[in-house]
Amino acid sequence: MTITKRVTFIAKPDGIEQMKALLTAMVEPSKAEDGCIFYEIVQYKERPEKFMAVETWRDETALEGHKTSAHYKVYKSSYEQYCLDKYTDELEVLG
């Protein structure tokens, strides 16, 4: 069973560019991971401090592999200093 999540980040006013760079650096290596079905990060045009990641993984094993990757560890150890708020929604793909 696939796992799909939406992760929303609200950057601190002085951390927007750093958050953008940190999240952008996640895209290519995440897409290359075994079990990654979909992985995109967007920035809201009218609210540049707001970012959204949408990701779909083949299964829990693929998601856990993502969480142990080198690029995820860099993100995880760095994002909080630039982030005002973060929340995750578990999604169900219909159809």
Side-chain angles (χ1 to χ4, degrees):
M1 181 169 181
T2 62
I3 298 167
T4 301
K5 296 179 171 214
R6 178 184 70 174
V7 185
T8 302
F9 301 87
I10 309 297
K12 294 177 181 176
D14 62 347
I16 293 172
E17 289 307 312
Q18 295 92 334
M19 180 69 80
K20 183 177 182 175
L22 188 63
L23 295 175
T24 299
M26 290 289 293
V27 177
E28 291 286 329
S30 295
K31 286 182 174 183
E33 289 181 55
D34 180 44
C36 180
I37 296 170
F38 184 85
Y39 194 97
E40 294 292 343
I41 297 178
V42 298
Q43 183 178 25
Y44 287 63
K45 288 187 175 185
E46 285 86 30
R47 290 192 57 201
E49 78 282 4
K50 189 173 181 179
F51 299 87
M52 180 179 58
V54 179
E55 54 190 276
T56 300
W57 299 92
R58 179 185 56 227
D59 53 26
E60 190 65 39
T61 301
L63 179 57
E64 287 306 311
H66 172 63
K67 291 179 180 179
T68 63
S69 67
H71 56 276
Y72 185 88
K73 289 177 184 177
V74 169
Y75 144 77
K76 192 70 173 169
S77 68
S78 305
Y79 87 92
E80 288 182 346
Q81 62 187 316
Y82 310 119
C83 192
L84 187 63
D85 193 17
K86 174 187 170 209
Y87 53 93
T88 302
D89 296 301
E90 301 284 334
L91 305 174
E92 181 177 351
V93 177
L94 305 177

